[in-house]
């Protein structure tokens, strides 16, 4: 039985120039050649970014010669990716940053918006708050099961981790200093859930030097859908001049829906026909979000600062964010209520100070997230009945056949308590270091209640879970994950040009999973109550059939060599590792899954040219993913996690920014990724004549498209004392798969059924956004046309239950249709 989570399913400053987005550009069909590896031909780019860079350099020189007034270069970008303040161009790592102005220019308001401009990042989305993030092709499955693997990409809000299993926290992006993407293993400084990379959201902090405020109002309309609006604002108030300030931020957003639930019927093998007339609705998936943030910054003296922060958000959505192409474009036929209420808050405290010449920082945070959800599960009922006569099991107390359609009522309660203490030496020293201690306790209480109306709950026909009338399947579990770590990273300048960095993180992780899952003893003799070994210890379950514990210790490390060609250019080579803890399989007969590890070999460059009017950065990498964790659905669509073997990921990512003239700025970024299996996969077991190959050696890993790129052009000019602008952006990604497997055994018949061909491939797509606006003094007005050509991108393809049974109803999560909007804003 699939659980509902499967279905739903420090800071940057742009100092002078508002367009400081890096550009990563590699060319899909440009400069491709074939090479042979293990008898398999693969496409490899001949570093087309080199060609792009030389072209841009020549053009930059010509433009500057023709326009001497074009003397102002790109502004310096300050980041804290390595947990100390540094110029982005001096950081020997693959880092992309979307600054505050770029966020506003690109109309970035949420998770989906900023991810599309980060080429090394891929994701699968079931809707707001239900998206899973992957970086550099480190992805093997499409499961977001609460009992499965921890995420491979860490997400941080300021200094605090906010990563949760089952979906990245969908923080509304407003009054944010930057969104930063750190590609590759970040295990030394960021730990277990940053095996493949880290995403950081850094908010604007209170400023005690003066008052400031602003607001933005926007109205929009979605093609094939309904209208929406956004109202957001902030105020920064000095409480004690140059000593203390408070910053208050608020937002209220309504997103128009664009998925229609249309009339449909289902006829079961028992002769019962049902319809969804009670739930037919246009624009089914509207979203309402509101929230706020309050931060207080107190400078105790010249050395010590205290910053407490509280942020909270409440998000309600209806319907589903995918469509069923067998029903129609942007249409589904669902038979039970659907929607989700996701609300969370995070309280954080940061204390910064100095002890002598050393910087000391304490960061602590507590996050509480609750999700109430309802999901239609009719596909499971109908398709299992169609294949195996499933409906005949469902009767009322009198023994009469009933409507077997199911609904999933879910309740998820996450808490995360994290603490970090670190010390840093002066950044100007020849030898400089960062060292710290980290502790995290995260809990996830899970209720997944699979309900069938009028299901027998007493008498000889009773198949309801004991104490839960009408419940066919119940998950009532508590998961606890704890992490302890000590880390350090140090850099020594061997010469003025050559530096060496080394780092290590020692860790201990523990994970427990306890409670109940399964059917009534009257319905199943091998899953659920029939396997209980004691009274309930979690929630209100009927008994306990799950009590597992696993722990792990180890270390992860990093070695980097950096060579400065001159003050504007550097080369670096990095060897780094990442890890992800193991965990318990719910099924009592299965052993725990073990940790998996990622080794990264990377060569990169950071360069500025033509008086800093052009930046070109990039990296080439080879990553070995060992013993990787793979989730799949077994008997009763119960998620199983196995260590599947090894994979290799090779790629190139590059970014560039070019101020072509005083008014014209071009930015681009892109990534090419070749991620594939190194051996045949046979379900985590040895391949035999009966245990067949489910994914062959060389199989492309799922989720990540081989090519993802974007290009943004912005032109600004003056009309008397009014500033005007035009902007266009294009985002492209190639085709990808949503599942690793070519075939897998049917959970009922054991026959190997197709997987990839049944789900279908996610097609390549390109989208375009255009904006035009005016600004004068404190006010601005902008007209936007997003997804201008109404491209129907396929962000994810999935089935509601085991693919071998339910792929007949394949769902596609699309991007938002064409949206036209008008925004007015003021800043004081």
């Amino acid at each position: 039985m699939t659980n509902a989570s499967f279905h739903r399913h420090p800071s940057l400053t742009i100092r002078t120039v508002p367009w400081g987005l890096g550009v990563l550009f590699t060319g899909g069909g440009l400069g491709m050649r074939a090479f042979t590896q293990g008898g398999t031909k693969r496409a490899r780019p001949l570093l087309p970014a080199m060609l792009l860079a030389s072209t841009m350099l020549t053009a930059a020189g010509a433009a500057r010669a023709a326009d001497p007034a074009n003397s102002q270069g790109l502004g310096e970008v300050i980041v804290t990716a390595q947990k100390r303040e540094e110029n982005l161009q001096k950081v020997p790592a693959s880092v992309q940053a979307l600054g505050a102005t770029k966020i506003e220019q690109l109309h970035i308001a949420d998770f989906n918006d900023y991810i599309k401009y980060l080429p090394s990042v891929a994701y699968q989305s079931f809707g707001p708050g239900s998206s899973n993030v992957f970086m550099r092709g480190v992805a093997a499955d499409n499961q977001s099961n609460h009992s499965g693997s921890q995420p491979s990409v860490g997400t941080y809000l300021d200094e605090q981790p906010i990563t949760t299993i089952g979906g990245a926290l969908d923080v509304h992006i407003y009054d944010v200093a930057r969104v930063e993407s750190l590609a590759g293993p970040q295990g030394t400084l960021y730990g277990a859930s940053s095996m493949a990379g880290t995403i950081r959201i850094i908010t604007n902090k209170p400023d005690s030097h003066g008052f400031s405020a602003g607001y933005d109002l926007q109205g929009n309309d979605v093609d094939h859908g309904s209208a929406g609006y956004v109202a957001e604002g902030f105020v920064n108030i000095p409480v004690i001049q140059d000593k203390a300030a408070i910053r208050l931020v608020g937002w209220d957003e309504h997103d128009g829906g664009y998925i229609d639930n249309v009339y449909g019927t289902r006829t079961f093998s028992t002769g019962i026909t049902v319809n969804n007339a009670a739930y037919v609705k246009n624009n089914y998936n509207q979203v309402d979000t509101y929230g706020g943030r309050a931060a207080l910054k107190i400078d105790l003296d010249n050395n010590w600062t205290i910053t407490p922060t509280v942020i909270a958000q409440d998000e309600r959505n209806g319907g589903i964010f995918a469509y069923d192409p067998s029903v129609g474009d942007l249409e589904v036929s669902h038979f039970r209520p659907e929607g989700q209420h996701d609300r969370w808050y995070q309280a954080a405290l940061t204390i910064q100070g100095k002890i002598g010449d050393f910087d000391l920082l304490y960061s602590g945070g507590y996050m509480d997230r609750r999700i109430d959800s309802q999901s239609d599960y009719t596909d499971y009922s109908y398709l299992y009945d169609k294949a195996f006569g499933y409906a005949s099991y469902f009767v009322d107390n009198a023994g009469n056949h009933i409507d077997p359609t199911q609904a999933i009522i879910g309740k998820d309660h996450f808490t995360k308590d994290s603490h970090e203490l670190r010390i840093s030496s002066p950044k100007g020293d020849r030898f400089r270091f960062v060292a710290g201690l980290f502790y995290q306790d995260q809990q996830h209480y899970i209720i997944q209640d699979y309900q069938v109306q009028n299901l027998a709950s007493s008498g000889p026909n009773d198949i309801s879970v004991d104490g839960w009338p009408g419940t066919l399947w119940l998950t009532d579990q508590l998961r606890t994950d704890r992490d302890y770590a000590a880390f350090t990273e140090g850099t020594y300048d061997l010469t003025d040009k050559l530096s060496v960095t080394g780092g290590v993180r020692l860790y201990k992780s523990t994970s427990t999973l306890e409670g109940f899952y399964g059917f009534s003893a009257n319905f199943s003799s091998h899953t659920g109550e029939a396997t209980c070994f004691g009274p309930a210890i979690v929630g209100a379950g009927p008994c306990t059939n799950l009590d597992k514990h696993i722990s792990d210790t180890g270390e992860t490390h990093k070695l980097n060599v950096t060579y400065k060609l001159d003050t504007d250019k550097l080369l670096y080579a990095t060897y780094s590792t990442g890890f992800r803890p193991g965990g318990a399989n719910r099924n009592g007969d299965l052993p725990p899954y073990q940790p998996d590890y990622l080794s990264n070999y990377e060569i990169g460059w950071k360069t500025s040219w033509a008086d800093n009017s052009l930046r070109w950065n990039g990296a080439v990498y080879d990553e070995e993913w060992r013993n990787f964790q793979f989730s799949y659905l077994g008997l009763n669509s119960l998620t199983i996690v196995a260590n599947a073997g090894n994979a290799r990921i090779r790629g190139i990512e590059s970014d560039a920014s070019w101020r072509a003239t005083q008014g014209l700025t071009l930015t681009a970024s892109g990534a090419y990724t070749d991620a594939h299996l190194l051996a045949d996969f046979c379900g985590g077991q040895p391949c035999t004549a009966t245990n067949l190959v489910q994914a062959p050696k060389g199989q492309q890993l799922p989720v990540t498209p081989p090519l993802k790129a974007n290009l943004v052009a912005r032109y600004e000019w003056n009309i008397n004392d009014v500033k005007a602008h035009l902007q266009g952006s294009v985002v492209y990604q190639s085709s990808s798969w949503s599942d690793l497997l070519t075939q897998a055994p049917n959970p009922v018949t054991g026959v190997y059924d197709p997987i990839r061909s049944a789900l279908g491939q996610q097609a390549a797509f390109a989208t375009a956004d255009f904006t035009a606006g005016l600004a004068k003094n404190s006010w601005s007005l902008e007209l936007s046309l997003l997804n201008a050509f109404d491209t129907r991108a396929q962000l994810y393809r999935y089935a509601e239950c085991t693919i071998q049974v339910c792929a007949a109803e394949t769902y596609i999560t699309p991007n938002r249709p064409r949206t036209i909007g008008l925004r007015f804003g003021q800043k004081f």
Side-chain angles (χ1 to χ4, degrees):
M1 188 76 65
T2 312
N3 72 63
S5 64
F6 170 72
H7 302 286
R8 291 287 182 205
H9 311 0
S11 84
L12 166 83
T13 305
I14 306 294
R15 290 189 171 168
T16 58
V17 178
W19 45 77
L21 167 68
V23 177
L24 187 166
F25 201 92
T26 64
L30 297 176
M32 303 295 286
R33 70 179 178 188
F35 73 97
T36 301
Q37 176 180 313
T40 302
K41 280 196 171 183
R42 301 187 179 285
R44 171 175 281 182
L46 290 173
L47 299 185
M50 296 286 191
L51 180 60
L52 172 69
S54 62
T55 303
M56 294 178 77
L57 280 169
T58 303
R64 296 177 68 79
D67 183 11
N70 182 25
S71 59
Q72 183 179 359
L74 296 167
E76 185 180 64
V77 179
I78 301 300
V79 299
T80 53
Q82 298 187 122
K83 298 201 172 183
R84 63 164 73 237
E85 190 174 276
E86 297 172 285
N87 182 341
L88 174 66
Q89 291 303 104
K90 308 300 182 184
V91 178
S94 182
V95 180
Q96 277 197 285
L98 300 173
T101 303
K102 200 66 181 181
I103 287 170
E104 182 176 357
Q105 291 175 354
L106 294 174
H107 285 252
I108 291 173
D110 57 23
F111 171 87
N112 286 356
D113 294 335
Y114 66 74
I115 288 297
K116 72 180 184 179
Y117 290 103
L118 301 175
S120 294
V121 184
Y123 72 107
Q124 294 177 324
S125 179
F126 295 89
S130 300
S131 298
N132 302 299
V133 190
F134 308 91
M135 294 184 76
R136 283 189 173 178
V138 181
D141 57 74
N142 59 2
Q143 301 296 306
S144 56
N145 189 279
H146 47 67
S147 302
S149 303
Q150 291 192 29
S152 62
V153 174
T155 307
Y156 279 70
L157 180 59
D158 291 323
E159 290 289 331
Q160 290 74 37
I162 57 172
T163 314
T164 63
I165 294 176
L169 211 62
D170 197 3
V171 182
H172 181 79
I173 304 299
Y174 179 72
D175 194 46
V176 164
R178 86 173 182 279
V179 175
E180 185 175 288
S181 172
L182 292 67
Q186 306 297 322
T188 303
L189 294 179
Y190 292 97
S193 285
S194 291
M195 179 176 73
T198 301
I199 294 174
R200 306 181 68 219
I201 302 169
I202 306 300
T203 62
N204 286 324
K205 304 302 184 292
D207 183 357
S208 62
H209 297 96
F211 173 86
S212 61
Y215 69 88
D216 288 279
L217 302 174
Q218 180 184 149
N220 56 64
D221 188 71
V222 182
D223 269 15
H224 321 284
S226 56
Y229 67 82
V230 183
E232 48 197 6
F234 77 93
V235 59
N236 182 89
I237 306 170
V239 178
I240 302 174
Q241 189 68 30
D242 298 332
K243 290 291 184 181
I246 188 170
R247 193 176 191 97
L248 304 175
V249 184
W251 55 89
D252 183 3
E253 179 177 9
H254 173 76
D255 293 333
Y258 48 87
I259 302 293
D260 296 337
N261 191 25
V262 301
Y263 182 81
T265 63
R266 299 278 197 185
T267 299
F268 294 91
S269 60
T270 54
I272 292 176
T273 297
V274 299
N275 67 65
N276 65 343
Y279 307 110
V280 169
K281 184 178 181 180
N282 289 335
N283 310 321
Y284 195 39
N285 61 325
Q286 300 184 48
V287 184
D288 288 286
T289 306
Y290 66 90
R293 185 174 78 243
L296 174 65
K297 184 179 180 182
I298 304 172
D299 294 323
L300 300 178
D301 55 28
N302 292 332
N303 292 326
W304 289 90
T305 299
I306 298 176
T307 309
T309 304
V310 176
I311 180 172
Q313 181 171 289
D314 189 295
E315 184 174 77
R316 295 175 183 265
N317 63 65
I320 186 175
F321 289 80
Y323 67 94
D324 182 347
S326 68
V327 176
D329 181 40
L330 302 178
E331 292 181 340
V332 295
S333 288
H334 277 197
F335 295 77
R336 301 297 295 273
E338 293 182 293
Q340 180 169 288
H341 183 197
D342 183 358
R343 65 273 193 205
W344 56 268
Y345 73 85
Q346 185 202 56
L349 175 65
T350 301
I351 302 174
Q352 295 173 280
K354 282 186 173 292
I355 299 178
D357 291 334
F358 295 90
D359 294 319
L360 188 70
L361 183 143
Y362 164 77
S363 173
Y366 179 80
M367 185 189 76
D368 188 292
R369 182 186 189 189
R370 298 171 186 264
I371 304 174
D372 295 330
S373 61
Q374 298 183 82
S375 305
D376 177 73
Y377 206 38
T378 300
D379 285 1
Y380 177 95
S381 305
Y382 177 72
L383 293 170
Y384 264 84
D385 177 58
K386 188 175 180 180
F388 311 112
Y390 175 86
S392 62
Y393 294 103
F394 295 87
V395 297
D396 58 19
N397 289 336
N400 301 312
H401 289 299
I402 60 173
D403 171 7
T405 58
Q406 295 184 42
I408 308 172
I409 309 301
K411 293 184 181 294
D412 295 87
H413 184 196
F414 302 88
T415 62
K416 184 186 289 282
D417 185 15
S418 64
H419 303 271
E420 181 170 307
L421 179 67
R422 68 176 185 264
I423 188 170
S424 305
S425 62
K427 63 182 180 181
D429 287 357
R430 186 171 186 178
F431 174 70
R432 51 203 177 272
F433 70 87
V434 176
L437 302 171
F438 176 79
Y439 168 74
Q440 176 177 265
D441 182 303
Q442 49 186 339
Q443 294 192 339
H444 182 190
Y445 176 59
I446 311 123
I447 291 286
Q448 301 287 300
D449 182 1
Y450 290 69
Q451 295 185 352
V452 179
Q453 292 181 341
N454 302 314
L455 185 68
S457 58
S458 64
N461 299 308
D462 179 9
I463 59 172
S464 296
V465 173
D466 189 27
W468 293 74
T471 296
L472 180 66
W473 171 286
L474 177 67
T475 298
D476 189 350
Q477 295 175 186
L478 177 65
R479 174 173 179 164
T480 303
D481 295 281
R482 293 189 177 93
D483 300 277
Y484 311 80
F487 62 89
T488 186
E489 191 168 291
T491 300
Y492 183 71
D493 296 331
L494 297 173
T495 69
D496 291 341
K497 292 181 176 292
L498 183 63
S499 301
V500 176
T501 299
V504 65
R505 187 183 189 98
L506 306 177
Y507 66 85
K508 177 181 179 180
S509 63
T510 64
S511 179
T512 61
L513 191 60
E514 52 190 355
F516 174 82
Y517 70 97
F519 297 109
S520 160
N522 294 330
F523 190 77
S524 172
S525 61
H526 58 272
T527 304
E529 293 179 34
T531 62
C532 280
F533 48 77
I537 58 175
V538 173
C543 51
T544 295
N545 64 354
L546 177 63
D547 189 358
K548 293 188 175 185
H549 173 93
I550 187 171
S551 62
D552 182 46
T553 60
E555 59 88 18
T556 185
H557 46 270
K558 172 183 176 181
L559 178 65
N560 170 274
V561 178
T562 302
Y563 184 76
K564 298 176 183 177
L565 299 173
D566 56 38
T567 56
D568 295 325
K569 303 174 187 65
L570 66 81
L571 301 173
Y572 70 86
T574 298
Y575 165 64
S576 57
T577 63
F579 72 98
R580 186 166 49 166
N585 273 299
R586 282 192 292 176
N587 192 314
D589 298 330
L590 295 177
Y593 54 94
Q594 300 303 310
D596 56 358
Y597 304 93
L598 188 70
S599 296
N600 174 56
Y601 305 87
E602 179 175 332
I603 297 175
W605 60 94
K606 295 286 183 76
T607 64
S608 298
W609 307 80
D611 295 331
N612 198 35
S613 65
L614 172 66
R615 289 195 189 116
W616 178 42
N617 304 332
V620 179
Y621 61 88
D622 185 326
E623 295 186 340
E624 297 179 3
W625 190 10
R626 303 188 310 278
N627 208 32
F628 69 81
Q629 298 169 9
F630 176 69
S631 301
Y632 62 97
L633 296 181
L635 186 66
N636 298 314
S637 292
L638 183 67
T639 296
I640 297 171
V641 186
N643 293 96
N646 301 330
R648 166 163 283 166
I649 304 157
R650 290 171 170 162
I652 175 173
E653 52 202 15
S654 180
D655 64 86
S657 298
W658 179 28
R659 190 176 185 192
T661 70
Q662 193 75 3
L664 177 62
T665 304
L666 301 175
T667 62
S669 58
Y672 175 82
T673 307
D674 177 18
H676 60 274
L677 290 176
L678 290 179
D680 292 341
F681 173 66
C682 299
Q685 302 296 324
C687 300
T688 66
T690 55
N691 190 40
L692 304 181
V693 173
Q694 298 182 29
K697 177 182 178 180
Q699 182 96 299
Q700 177 187 330
L701 298 185
V703 183
T704 303
L707 178 63
K708 183 182 178 184
N710 66 78
L711 174 65
V712 181
R714 184 179 179 89
Y715 185 68
E716 299 176 331
W717 74 100
N718 292 328
I719 304 174
N720 295 323
D721 59 347
V722 177
K723 296 180 179 179
H725 72 263
L726 289 172
Q727 178 177 285
S729 65
V730 177
V731 175
Y732 170 82
Q733 72 176 52
S734 58
S735 60
S736 60
W737 298 96
S738 60
D739 199 284
L740 174 67
L741 304 182
T742 299
Q743 62 177 1
N746 189 293
V748 176
T749 65
V751 174
Y752 279 71
D753 294 328
I755 301 295
R756 280 195 166 183
S757 61
L759 278 179
Q761 190 174 29
Q762 295 164 187
F765 66 88
T767 62
D769 298 341
F770 300 99
T771 62
L774 303 171
K776 180 180 179 181
N777 299 326
S778 67
W779 63 265
S780 63
L781 182 68
E782 185 174 67
L783 179 68
S784 61
L785 184 62
L786 308 181
N787 191 10
F789 304 108
D790 199 27
T791 301
R792 195 74 71 244
Q794 297 185 12
L795 304 179
Y796 186 34
R797 298 177 70 97
Y798 69 93
E800 279 203 341
C801 70
T802 306
I803 295 169
Q804 299 92 311
V805 178
C806 287
E809 296 279 346
T810 297
Y811 291 82
I812 299 173
T813 302
N815 57 338
R816 182 179 294 273
R818 178 170 46 228
T819 302
I820 185 169
L822 184 65
R823 181 175 67 189
F824 176 80
Q826 278 190 293
K827 288 184 171 59
F828 308 98

